[in-house]
Amino acid sequence: WNHKRILICGGRRTGKDTTVIKQRIVPFMWKNPGVKVGVYAPGWEEADSFMDLFRDAVFDTVLEKSIDIENKFDVKLTNRSRLLCRIASKVSTGKRGRGFDLLYYTEAAYIADSDMAVTRATRLIGSAPEIQASSPNGEENHFGKAFNSGIYKVYHWKTSMNPLISQEDLEEERKLCTDIEFRQ
């Protein structure tokens, strides 16, 4: 987590969001009072799913007890740390000028380049770490270009690396997926 720009390319069942929440976002919010974490998703369904994973990760922990304000897409802790989850869209409100201390993009490959440009503008002032995670979605989008740019520290997580998924489950799923779905 020491790199300023991290890109996680992983399969559909690798636990990208869960890992980032538990290993980066929660410790960051807990140890750094007053920080703002911005999370962007390609749509409200993905944003809602991310917030469900966040709530599951903090359930029955010290962090849950320190939640001061809890709205559907906005969580503020008693130490003044805040997490805002929004969709990455030019027409969505509440993106510019927030000055986030950490940016996280869930399913970044599915965010349009023009929408990515709008949300990334907040990084120009500071040096906020940026993490993008997604299943692959071709090479002609921001995520594909970032993957090959050399600017990001790239991690490639395969579903077979997830200890919660057995090889038998993977073989069964392969029978139910098209080749493109399974390669993803």
Side-chain angles (χ1 to χ4, degrees):
W1 304 116
N2 293 331
H3 299 278
K4 285 288 185 189
R5 292 183 178 177
I6 297 173
L7 192 133
I8 301 167
C9 183
R12 297 180 304 135
R13 295 173 59 193
T14 54
K16 298 176 294 289
D17 286 340
T18 303
T19 301
V20 170
I21 289 168
K22 289 183 176 183
Q23 299 296 320
R24 182 62 173 135
I25 293 175
V26 168
F28 186 75
M29 291 178 71
W30 183 252
K31 294 176 183 176
N32 303 297
V35 297
K36 286 193 241 176
V37 177
V39 177
Y40 290 108
W44 288 115
E45 293 82 11
E46 292 86 357
D48 196 31
S49 176
F50 175 85
M51 291 305 292
D52 286 344
L53 289 171
F54 179 80
R55 286 182 182 88
D56 288 346
V58 300
F59 177 72
D60 205 25
T61 67
V62 176
L63 190 68
E64 181 186 39
K65 293 168 180 48
S66 74
I67 293 175
D68 189 28
I69 297 171
E70 183 175 10
N71 296 321
K72 189 168 184 174
F73 298 105
D74 182 5
V75 174
K76 188 173 183 181
L77 306 180
T78 55
N79 73 356
R80 300 177 336 278
S81 293
R82 187 172 182 189
L83 181 137
L84 289 168
C85 187
R86 299 287 185 258
I87 62 167
S89 168
K90 290 184 288 187
V91 295
S92 179
T93 59
K95 290 180 300 298
R96 288 188 173 270
R98 293 237 182 229
F100 292 118
D101 298 298
L102 174 66
L103 283 170
Y104 176 61
Y105 294 89
T106 181
E107 293 304 336
Y110 296 91
I111 297 173
D113 289 356
S114 58
D115 295 335
M116 184 67 79
V118 170
T119 60
R120 293 186 79 238
T122 58
R123 285 193 82 251
L124 297 177
I125 297 168
S127 58
E130 176 185 319
I131 304 169
Q132 295 186 30
S134 188
S135 300
N137 186 27
E139 294 183 9
E140 293 303 317
N141 56 45
H142 172 78
F143 189 78
K145 293 172 192 167
F147 185 87
N148 297 317
S149 71
I151 296 172
Y152 289 81
K153 174 70 176 167
V154 177
Y155 296 95
H156 193 171
W157 296 350
K158 295 182 179 184
T159 304
S160 59
M161 295 167 68
N162 186 340
L164 300 175
I165 298 175
S166 69
Q167 197 60 35
E168 294 81 32
D169 286 345
L170 277 176
E171 290 303 320
E172 269 187 38
E173 186 154 329
R174 178 158 180 70
K175 293 174 188 172
L176 299 173
C177 293
T178 66
D179 283 341
I180 292 172
E181 287 173 324
F182 189 76
R183 282 188 304 212
Q184 187 183 46

